[in-house]
Amino acid sequence: MTRQQIKAELENRLDMSNIPAHIGIIMDGNGRWAKRRGLSRIKGHQEGAKRVKTVVRYADDLGVKHISLYAFSVENWARPSFEVSALMKLIKAYIVRERQELHAEGVKFKLVGRLNELAPEIVKEADISTELMKNNSGLSLNLCINYGGRAEIVDAVREIVRSGIAPEKIDEETISRHLYWPEIPDVDLLVRTSGEMRTSNFHLWRSAYSELYFTEVLWPDFDDVELLRAILAYQGRERRFGMTSEQLTEQEI
Ligand code: FPP
């Protein structure tokens, strides 16, 4: 079968009434992809950056409403400095290069993480995109840079304390409202590429009931067909949110 035939076959099986609203992706395996080809790790990241466009566009076409990409974690600063600066350059170039096209497609955009620790020019470029796209109504692209799930919860708690909310008034909803992009809902489907079976401090709060999908495919090889496979796996799961199967049938949630 050709790639197009495989894609058509997978699309046929898709239940368009059950597309995950929010997909989170841990884009792992750039380094191994490069090493297998005798290339530098930076080349792996460059190829990885190219896949972002394919995946975001196809997710939007399928009706996914929110996509969170883990592009740089709070722990990634520990990498060699040349790799850190190459990643930052790639991220900034992506924001600038894709701005008009994402806007034309009706996407909303936000950079999330501890932004005060990032180079100001990256935050400035991201702010231009956020402002430009703020009235769009399509997919929300949540680009997670210097992001950590624990850091996000710590930052939310700091905001809550600063705002003087009484302890007895604090509930789960309060925490959700103080996350970096509060309008984004919980993650329905959390994808990690490259065979690692960890969530590595990504979206801790919002992944409480996420369906997890792990694939051996390395991020630079992850494309529209791989996204389809992930969504089909999601559609094969029964999401019970703590209830029994029988209760779900009765409630038809
Ligand atoms: C993990 O692969 C990947 C990262 C730490 C960075 C992800 C970055 C990109 C996909 C490119 C830039 C992003 C955008 C949005 C333009 P790894 O290097 O840990 O791979 P390895 O485990 O095989 O070494």
Side-chain angles (χ1 to χ4, degrees):
M1 266 207 269
T2 66
R3 198 185 159 281
Q4 274 317 311
Q5 285 168 327
I6 293 171
K7 187 176 171 191
E9 165 69 23
L10 294 174
E11 278 180 338
N12 265 338
R13 289 195 230 153
L14 210 56
D15 174 359
M16 293 308 284
S17 67
N18 185 23
I19 298 291
H22 185 180
I23 301 182
I25 307 184
I26 302 173
M27 308 180 288
D28 197 7
N30 296 347
R32 275 162 287 170
W33 183 94
K35 196 172 174 196
R36 282 178 200 172
R37 289 162 178 78
L39 302 168
S40 71
R41 294 181 54 80
I42 310 298
K43 184 69 189 146
H45 293 313
Q46 286 168 348
E47 281 304 310
K50 290 184 195 164
R51 293 297 92 71
V52 170
K53 183 174 179 154
T54 319
V55 170
V56 169
R57 173 172 298 163
Y58 191 56
D60 192 23
D61 289 349
L62 290 178
V64 173
K65 296 287 176 227
H66 314 272
I67 192 158
S68 290
L69 301 176
Y70 205 8
F72 194 90
S73 73
V74 287
E75 290 83 14
N76 284 151
W77 296 107
R79 293 190 174 211
S81 59
F82 67 90
E83 183 170 340
V84 169
S85 63
L87 276 167
M88 290 299 162
K89 268 192 203 135
L90 270 175
I91 291 163
K92 184 177 158 210
Y94 170 81
I95 295 170
V96 174
R97 191 180 62 237
E98 301 299 321
R99 182 181 290 138
Q100 289 307 333
E101 205 171 310
L102 289 171
H103 180 45
E105 287 166 9
V107 168
K108 273 182 195 272
F109 175 88
K110 202 167 164 81
L111 198 64
V112 307
R114 286 202 164 144
L115 304 187
N116 58 333
E117 295 168 358
L118 289 174
E121 67 267 20
I122 294 189
V123 181
K124 193 178 127 223
E125 293 299 347
D127 284 346
I128 295 172
S129 294
T130 304
E131 181 61 23
L132 177 73
M133 303 181 208
K134 69 177 180 203
N135 294 322
N136 289 346
S137 56
L139 173 141
S140 307
L141 174 54
N142 189 17
L143 194 57
C144 304
I145 316 281
N146 195 25
Y147 175 88
R150 289 183 176 178
E152 183 176 32
I153 296 170
V154 168
D155 290 349
V157 171
R158 284 179 180 164
E159 273 306 304
I160 292 166
V161 172
R162 263 187 222 119
S163 67
I165 301 176
E168 59 280 8
K169 291 262 164 65
I170 298 171
D171 56 15
E172 293 184 8
E173 196 36 49
T174 320
I175 306 269
S176 296
R177 274 204 320 274
H178 287 84
L179 296 178
Y180 294 136
W181 196 353
E183 293 78 16
I184 298 263
D186 281 355
V187 176
D188 296 302
L189 169 62
L190 185 59
V191 174
R192 183 175 189 145
T193 58
S194 89
E196 308 290 348
M197 299 209 197
R198 292 184 292 277
T199 57
S200 299
N201 201 14
F202 189 42
H203 268 317
L204 289 188
W205 186 266
R206 287 192 172 109
S207 66
Y209 282 98
S210 302
E211 293 300 330
L212 306 181
Y213 176 83
F214 299 105
T215 170
E216 293 289 329
V217 172
L218 303 175
W219 175 253
D221 292 327
F222 194 92
D223 57 11
D224 45 3
V225 169
E226 296 306 327
L227 185 67
L228 271 170
R229 292 192 209 282
I231 296 176
L232 283 165
Y234 166 87
Q235 294 186 340
R237 310 270 177 93
E238 181 187 61
R239 306 190 74 198
R240 292 203 296 271
F241 300 99
M243 288 182 273
T244 66
S245 297
E246 293 72 22
Q247 282 175 302
L248 283 180
T249 318
E250 282 158 23
Q251 293 191 1
E252 287 186 338
I253 65 166

